[in-house]
Amino acid sequence: MTAPATISSEPQPAIAVRNIVKRYGSFEAVKGVSFSSPREKSSACSAQRRRQKHLIRMMTTLVPITSGTAVVAGHDVAKDSDAVRRMIGVIPQALTSDPDLTVEENLSIYAKLYSVPKAEREKNILEVLEAVDLVKWRGAQTKTLRAA
């Protein structure tokens, strides 16, 4: 007879990953990764989703890391973002935008994904905004725009 499971008074994490492994045949793509993310009491789901969204954006080099270090396949996310993007193979879904980002931020993300240099990126974004008559909406969140 087995002992009953004990109920812990400690709060359970929202996400708990313990020694996760992913293999494709003999190739080990993920080896023993572990981490956890604490559960929040108020607005837990939306706060957790926002944190996850920001973490993914930082790890995929779409937004800069404020502090700390992240390394992907030996490449510093902040210092060698082009190499990180090549290693992780970021491929945006066709014809999508992040509704919480501004029009300009969405365009900038796509330009970053395609390794457009920053100076050229800013020029190209302005040209695109002018071509589609969205210059005045560049700072507006995408979700606030109406489809025409």
Side-chain angles (χ1 to χ4, degrees):
M1 188 141 93
T2 61
T6 58
I7 299 174
S8 171
S9 61
E10 294 292 317
Q12 296 296 309
I15 298 173
V17 175
R18 302 283 182 258
N19 295 316
I20 194 166
V21 175
K22 178 61 182 169
R23 290 186 188 97
Y24 296 95
S26 62
F27 174 69
E28 198 165 55
V30 177
K31 182 178 182 178
V33 173
S34 298
F35 67 90
S36 66
S37 177
R39 183 179 303 274
E40 302 272 330
K41 288 184 180 176
S42 63
S43 303
C45 290
S46 62
Q48 185 64 31
R49 279 193 296 269
R50 281 192 304 272
R51 273 194 301 282
Q52 291 168 359
K53 183 191 267 186
H54 289 295
L55 177 61
I56 295 297
R57 287 180 181 163
M58 288 187 293
M59 295 303 296
T60 56
T61 76
L62 299 179
V63 297
I65 297 170
T66 304
S67 67
T69 303
V71 176
V72 174
H75 301 282
D76 186 300
V77 170
K79 296 176 183 172
D80 198 2
S81 58
D82 287 341
V84 170
R85 284 192 291 276
R86 282 191 298 274
M87 294 305 295
I88 62 177
V90 174
I91 302 172
Q93 293 178 344
L95 304 174
T96 62
S97 61
D98 186 322
D100 294 323
L101 296 181
T102 66
V103 171
E104 187 169 20
E105 288 168 332
N106 273 290
L107 291 171
S108 182
I109 284 173
Y110 280 92
K112 285 179 185 179
L113 290 174
Y114 290 99
S115 301
V116 176
K118 186 173 182 176
E120 190 177 328
R121 186 167 57 231
E122 293 170 358
K123 179 179 139 294
N124 291 350
I125 289 171
L126 181 57
E127 287 175 3
V128 168
L129 291 171
E130 288 172 345
V132 295
D133 197 27
L134 284 176
V135 174
K136 65 184 174 189
W137 301 108
R138 73 188 313 157
Q141 285 183 307
T142 305
K143 67 184 173 187
T144 65
L145 302 178
R146 289 186 299 140

